[in-house]
């Protein structure tokens, strides 16, 4: 089994993020690993394309400030050093891969909602991160009641 030294945890800052961070923290503690957080903000232009002719920069700046404040609180709650908290703008899969390479992560931890059918065909961040990652990826099942075994 791999001994992880640097773990990147991707969070969307929803209530499910706590579960993902707790799982990553447990792995980091067991391996004596450094733990990083990343939150990716998708540009509004991705959502609306060129369909709406307006400048989104002010709104985008406000979203970035709010996300940074939320990640600050989240990082404090989970005892992640400020230098290991990252808010970036871009496509989630691309930015998570880039940050993993930048910090030389050997594990990426993401949440997965376990979608199926059309939702699976549409893709998910967890699936996108898995394909193309240069290190191990752990998808933590979130947002569903777990089956009793």
């Amino acid at each position: 089994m791999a001994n992880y030294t640097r773990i990147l945890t991707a969070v969307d800052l929803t209530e499910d993020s706590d579960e993902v961070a707790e799982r990553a923290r447990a792995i980091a503690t067991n391996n004596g690993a450094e733990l990083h957080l990343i939150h990716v903000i998708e540009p509004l232009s991705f959502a609306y394309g060129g369909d709406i002719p307006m400048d989104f920069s002010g709104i985008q700046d406000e979203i970035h400030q709010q996300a940074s404040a939320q990640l600050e609180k989240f990082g404090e709650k989970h005892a992640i050093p400020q230098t290991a908290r990252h808010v970036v703008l871009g496509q989630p899969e691309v930015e998570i891969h880039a940050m993993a390479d930048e910090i030389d992560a050997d594990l990426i931890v993401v949440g997965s909602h376990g979608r199926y059918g059309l939702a699976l065909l549409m893709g998910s961040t967890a699936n996108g991160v898995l394909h193309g990652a240069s290190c191990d990826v752990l998808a933590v099942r979130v947002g569903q009641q777990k089956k009793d075994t």
Side-chain angles (χ1 to χ4, degrees):
M1 180 159 140
N3 187 25
Y4 299 113
T5 58
R6 198 162 293 112
I7 300 169
L8 178 62
T9 308
V11 294
D12 61 6
L13 299 173
T14 63
E15 62 276 356
D16 293 332
S17 294
D18 284 324
E19 189 174 349
V20 175
E22 288 166 10
R23 182 71 59 89
R25 165 66 63 208
I27 295 168
T29 299
N30 289 338
N31 287 270
E34 182 180 311
L35 189 56
H36 286 254
L37 290 174
I38 185 171
H39 175 70
V40 181
I41 303 166
E42 290 191 75
L44 292 173
S45 60
F46 283 10
Y48 297 106
D51 296 342
I52 300 175
M54 67 182 286
D55 180 13
F56 290 114
S57 60
I59 298 167
Q60 195 73 63
D61 289 343
E62 180 64 27
I63 291 169
H64 193 279
Q65 289 173 359
Q66 288 180 6
S68 295
Q70 282 184 283
L71 190 65
E72 193 72 20
K73 289 178 188 171
F74 187 86
E76 288 173 7
K77 177 181 178 181
H78 292 280
I80 311 287
Q82 188 171 15
T83 57
R85 302 175 199 156
H86 314 277
V87 175
V88 296
L89 181 68
Q91 183 178 0
E93 301 86 15
V94 171
E95 298 304 328
I96 292 167
H97 288 151
M99 184 59 65
D101 290 343
E102 183 179 322
I103 67 167
D104 197 24
D106 42 22
L107 176 65
I108 300 170
V109 180
V110 296
S112 174
H113 291 277
R115 292 186 174 99
Y116 54 91
L118 185 58
L120 179 63
L121 291 175
M122 297 299 285
S124 70
T125 298
N127 190 42
V129 170
L130 176 62
H131 298 289
S134 58
C135 63
D136 290 351
V137 176
L138 171 64
V140 177
R141 180 78 48 129
V142 296
Q144 296 179 343
Q145 295 208 352
K146 294 187 171 67
K147 295 178 183 175
D148 293 327
T149 53

